[in-house]
Amino acid sequence: MGDEPAQFRERHGIDGFVDVHTHFMPERVLRKVWEYFDAAGPLIGRAWPIAYREEEEQRLARLREFGVRAFTSLLYPHKAGMAEWLNGWAADFARRTPGCLHTATFFPEPGVDRYVREAVETGARVFKAHVQVGAYDPNDELLEPVWGLLAEAGVPVVMHCGSEPAPGKHTGPEPVARLLARHPRLPVIVAHMGMPEYADFLDLAERYGEVRLDTTMAFTDFTERVSPFPRAELGRLADLGDRVLLGTDFPNIPYAYVHQLEALERLGLGSEWLRAVCHGNGARLFGLG
């Protein structure tokens, strides 16, 4: 599998990938996530084989083979009392893993502003907010100081806020629109292009200069069967080319890594757009060389 991403990079003049949506987490947590995918749980809804069900070192070696120069360890709590210890694990993982951007997370709970501030002060470069799995409103008053802090610090948040693969009480564009109305400078990376509410999240990206979208699973055969990207929106996607970021969901994808790249390629938006999405935009956002 390693040579195919290399051929993609060669075709489009891409030195290496910046993948803002990859998952590394404590092994016992990851195993539970995989068990949930295997069971096609309520938030999954269909068969979802894990393509890269390998040990941690093998998964890291895969990313290096693919030419991924920087990536994240997106993790997320599904209940109170998890986020702070997940952040401790992620900080250690970033210290021992070249190329990993120090990732953190949070949950609406007492003390969240304290541990988020501590994570930022100790070097967190990106946060994950999973509105669907966490089943919380991003406008929960407990999170208000968190959003203010992240907006002031300029630290981006990868937010799963769209309603795929299953809608939640607080998914969709409306809660995020209310959040951004109060914090217009908050750097939000909308995971999965906001699927299936693609157009609504493109609206938010056009309205707010710090809103970006990641490509995770978008445009792939697996997703297009159930949540196709509206081709009428391709022009807007092209115009927002400086704020679209490569994301893949590695290792929790039901196809080869290269398929995400080829899915972007077949949009027909050109090599310059692909270079920006696959490397330049992420490198600029995170100050990478």
Side-chain angles (χ1 to χ4, degrees), residues 116 120 127 143-157 179-180 182-188 210:
V116 167
V120 171
F127 281 74
L143 293 178
E144 196 62 15
V146 169
W147 301 126
L149 169 64
L150 296 179
E152 182 179 350
V155 177
V157 183
L179 171 62
L180 290 167
R182 296 193 311 281
H183 300 282
R185 293 172 47 246
L186 179 67
V188 173
E210 291 300 324

Side-chain angles (χ1 to χ4, degrees), residues 16-22 24 63-64 67-73 97-102 125 246-248 257 278-279 282-283 286-289:
F17 302 117
V18 177
D19 190 337
V20 303
H21 197 134
T22 61
F24 288 87
L63 290 181
R64 296 183 188 112
V68 177
R69 301 289 178 253
F71 58 96
T72 56
S73 61
T97 307
C100 181
L101 297 165
H102 180 176
R125 310 281 299 281
L246 175 66
T248 62
Y257 190 93
C278 292
H279 179 268
F286 293 108
L288 307 174

Side-chain angles (χ1 to χ4, degrees), residues 70-129:
F71 58 96
T72 56
S73 61
L74 297 187
L75 27 60
Y76 45 88
H78 63 272
K79 61 182 179 180
M82 291 182 65
E84 191 167 6
W85 73 264
L86 286 173
N87 288 351
W89 182 92
D92 177 70
F93 182 78
R95 279 192 295 269
R96 63 183 170 83
T97 307
C100 181
L101 297 165
H102 180 176
T103 310
T105 189
F106 51 81
F107 193 84
E109 59 189 330
V112 61
D113 51 332
R114 172 192 55 77
Y115 68 71
V116 167
R117 182 174 296 278
E118 289 174 0
V120 171
E121 290 176 348
T122 55
R125 310 281 299 281
V126 60
F127 281 74
K128 169 71 170 186

Side-chain angles (χ1 to χ4, degrees), residues 18 215 241 244-246 264 272-282:
V18 177
T215 66
V244 179
L245 303 166
L246 175 66
L264 296 174
E272 184 178 355
W273 187 86
L274 289 169
R275 284 193 295 272
V277 169
C278 292
H279 179 268
N281 297 340

